[in-house]
Every structure is written in structure tokens, then in C-alpha cells.
């Protein structure tokens, strides 16, 4: 294919995996990240490091963002040297971050008012999935805008699901991640109680893996709960799970509903974060349950 240059905002675990995938498929990538050290391995692979989000967004038709939260996304799009001011009219902003629903609606209105098309595009998967092209895009966008970026999405992931207008992709992603919080918190209770009662941890993990209640989230975190190793192979942290759960609960409140099970799971991850476990793997939530 002919080279297509993409501006990229962020170089965290998921962002770096997506950039590597884009580079492997022949795209040129201009990337900005607050921590410049994270750019070095990407530059080695062919990415061009940029000093500001605006530089990454200049003279490209597509800009992708992968930020940690609302505040970071607001800064890279709308802050000093933000991407939006440098973007061409009718170019496309693809926001892959997991953001609050209210902020997605606010941000998209600001971006589209400037003549740039917005795609609400959170994703599922861990970094290894993204780099291998196995991620799933959860899209909220106008159909004609989605049509324009379909080749990029097809090159980067394995499936694109169009839920509807802007914001709808985020609705699904937030509730999906809240469900993950429930699965992991409940699995931690299983392991903590079993170990306290004297069951062999590895036997518990092996039996969980073949049982009807095994979920992807549980399978990913139970081994760490059993081993107590929460420092290696970190795919997602407690602080990010707590953040996503809080955004999901805000959506639930806006809809006039209640999710008591989700609320309880959020409190587990919030406790872990406040206990100093925020930057560790999600398996570390078990430490808050041990007597």
C-alpha cells in the first residue's frame, strides 16, 4: 500500500502496541508523548518523534489519541500546543482512550465545531492483542466518517463494531470494563478465601481455569493472585481500572440507574489504589482482602 502518515498522541502500553502495528503495516507515524523516553523504541522502528501534540497533528489527515483519562485527553487535544489547532479541516480525530461519556460528548462537539471529524473509538484487548492486530474497535461515529477510516481499522485490528453515534462506543466500553472489575474482584475473593482455608493455590488456579465461571479477566489475573507477583507482565493497573469504573458509574448515574455490584467492584479497586497498589497489576487487589 502507499504510505499514509498518521499523527499519534501517546506512547503508553496500548499506544505503543498500536504504533508498532501501524508501522508493521507500512504506515508512517508521527508520535508525541509526555515521557520522551518511551518514544525511543518507536523511533528505532521508524516512527518520528514530535515535541508537541500540534507537531504530531500537523499535515496529516488522521490523528489517533491514546490517553489515560479525561484530563490528559483534554490537554493533548485542546491545551497549549494541542493537536486540534494544527489539524486540517475535514481531517479525522480518532479517540481510542477510555474516557467518561460526558467528556466524550463535550470533546467531540469542540473538535467537530473546528471542522474536524471525531470518531469515538475505545478498544478491547491487551497490548499483545493490539500489536498482533487482534484488537476490537468499539465505534461511535457518523457512518460516512467511519467509512473513511475503515482501511486503517482493518489494518490495525480484527473487528470493528459500530454501535451508533458518537458516545455509543464509550457507553459499551465503560460497562465492559466495569464488568471486568466485577470479574476480577470476585475472583480475588475466591482465591483469598480458598488460600485462607488451606487450599493449594495452584490447584485453585488450575480448577478455576477449566470451570464455567472462568472469564478472560479472571484467567489473566488469577495466576498473579496465587503467586503474589503483581509487578511483572502488567497489562492494566488498579488505578486505571478504578478510573474506568468511576467513569462507568458516572454514566449509570446520568442515566438514573444503579449498579450495586459494579459499585462494590469499584470500591475494591479504589481501596487498592489508595493502599498504594495503584500502579501494580490488577491481581494485587487480593492484597486488600487478606486477613
Amino acid at each position: 500500500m502507499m504510505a499514509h502518515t498518521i499523527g499519534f498522541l501517546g506512547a503508553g502500553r496500548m499506544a505503543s502496541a498500536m504504533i508498532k502495528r501501524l508501522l508493521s503495516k507500512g504506515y508512517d507515524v508521527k508520535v508525541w508523548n509526555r515521557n520522551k523516553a518511551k518514544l525511543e523504541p518507536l523511533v528505532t522502528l521508524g516512527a518520528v518523534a514530535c515535541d508537541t501534540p500540534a507537531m504530531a497533528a500537523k499535515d496529516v489527515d488522521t490523528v489517533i489519541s491514546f490517553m489515560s483519562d479525561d484530563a490528559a485527553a483534554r490537554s493533548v487535544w485542546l491545551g497549549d500546543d494541542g493537536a486540534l489547532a494544527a489539524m486540517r479541516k475535514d481531517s479525522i480525530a480518532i479517540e481510542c482512550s477510555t474516557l467518561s461519556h460526558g467528556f466524550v460528548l463535550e470533546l467531540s462537539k469542540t473538535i467537530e465545531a473546528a471542522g474536524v471529524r471525531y470518531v469515538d473509538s475505545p478498544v478491547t484487548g491487551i497490548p499483545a492483542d493490539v500489536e498482533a492486530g487482534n484488537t476490537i474497535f468499539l465505534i461511535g461515529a457518523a457512518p460516512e466518517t467511519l467509512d473513511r477510516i475503515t482501511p486503517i481499522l482493518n489494518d490495525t485490528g480484527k473487528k470493528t463494531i459500530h454501535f451508533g453515534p458518537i458516545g455509543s462506543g464509550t457507553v459499551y466500553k465503560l460497562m465492559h470494563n466495569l464488568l471486568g472489575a466485577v470479574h476480577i474482584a470476585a475472583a480475588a475473593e475466591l482465591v483469598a478465601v480458598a488460600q485462607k482455608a488451606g487450599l493449594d493455590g495452584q490447584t485453585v488456579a488450575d480448577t478455576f481455569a477449566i470451570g464455567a465461571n472462568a472469564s478472560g479477566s479472571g484467567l489473566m489475573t488469577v495466576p498473579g493472585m496465587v503467586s503474589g507477583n503483581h509487578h511483572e507482565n502488567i497489562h492494566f493497573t488498579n488505578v486505571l481500572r478504578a478510573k474506568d469504573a468511576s467513569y462507568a458509574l458516572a454514566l449509570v448515574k446520568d442515566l438514573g440507574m444503579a449498579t450495586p455490584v459494579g459499585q462494590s467492584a469499584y470500591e475494591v479497586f479504589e481501596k487498592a489504589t489508595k493502599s498504594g497498589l495503584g500502579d501494580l497489576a490488577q491481581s494485587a487487589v487480593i492484597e486488600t482482602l487478606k486477613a
Side-chain angles (χ1 to χ4, degrees):
M1 68 171 219
M2 295 180 63
H4 178 140
T5 302
I6 293 176
F8 213 105
L9 310 176
R13 293 184 184 92
M14 293 288 280
S16 292
M18 186 172 287
I19 291 168
K20 291 174 183 177
R21 177 68 181 180
L22 288 165
L23 291 169
S24 75
K25 299 298 288 188
Y27 291 89
D28 294 329
V29 180
K30 297 165 58 182
V31 58
W32 169 89
N33 191 66
R34 185 170 287 105
N35 181 349
K36 303 300 182 186
K38 291 185 178 181
L39 297 178
E40 294 174 6
L42 300 173
V43 170
T44 299
L45 294 174
V48 175
C50 296
D51 290 332
T52 66
M55 289 178 63
K58 184 176 175 57
D59 298 326
V60 300
D61 292 324
T62 307
V63 178
I64 301 174
S65 170
F66 237 128
M67 293 289 109
S68 60
D69 56 26
D70 289 0
R74 183 187 298 277
S75 176
V76 298
W77 288 114
L78 309 178
D80 294 340
D81 294 319
L84 181 59
M87 293 180 71
R88 296 169 173 166
K89 300 293 184 183
D90 206 39
S91 57
I92 298 180
I94 304 176
E95 182 51 89
C96 292
S97 315
T98 301
L99 306 175
S100 70
H101 184 253
F103 179 66
V104 165
L105 299 182
E106 174 194 336
L107 178 64
S108 63
K109 287 179 181 178
T110 301
I111 287 178
E112 296 217 317
V116 174
R117 296 172 182 249
Y118 186 95
V119 179
D120 171 29
S121 180
V123 304
T124 67
I126 61 176
D129 294 328
V130 176
E131 189 171 346
N134 290 325
T135 192
I136 298 172
F137 293 96
L138 311 172
I139 302 290
E144 61 273 18
T145 303
L146 177 57
D147 287 345
R148 283 180 51 186
I149 63 167
T150 295
I152 297 173
L153 301 181
N154 287 345
D155 282 339
T156 312
K158 72 175 180 180
K159 191 172 183 62
T160 297
I161 302 173
H162 188 197
F163 284 95
I166 292 169
S168 58
T170 288
V171 169
Y172 183 84
K173 178 62 187 296
L174 291 176
M175 298 315 296
H176 170 87
N177 279 18
L178 186 62
L179 179 60
V182 170
H183 285 179
I184 295 168
E189 291 181 342
L190 163 65
V191 175
V193 170
Q195 288 186 317
K196 181 71 173 180
L199 277 64
D200 175 71
Q202 190 57 53
T203 302
V204 169
D206 292 344
T207 308
F208 172 81
I210 61 174
N213 293 324
S215 66
S217 298
L219 290 170
M220 186 170 59
T221 53
V222 164
M225 294 175 189
V226 169
S227 70
N229 182 355
H230 314 304
H231 297 80
E232 297 179 3
N233 300 317
I234 299 176
H235 305 304
F236 204 61
T237 63
N238 294 299
V239 67
L240 289 177
R241 182 66 70 174
K243 180 269 296 184
D244 288 357
S246 72
Y247 287 170
L249 294 174
L251 168 64
V252 169
K253 183 178 180 180
D254 287 343
L255 293 173
M257 299 176 68
T259 49
V261 176
Q263 176 70 39
S264 295
Y266 159 71
E267 291 170 3
V268 170
F269 283 92
E270 184 68 2
K271 180 179 179 181
T273 299
K274 290 181 176 179
S275 299
L277 307 173
D279 292 330
L280 300 184
Q282 297 171 95
S283 58
V285 297
I286 195 173
E287 303 302 330
T288 68
L289 303 173
K290 292 180 177 179

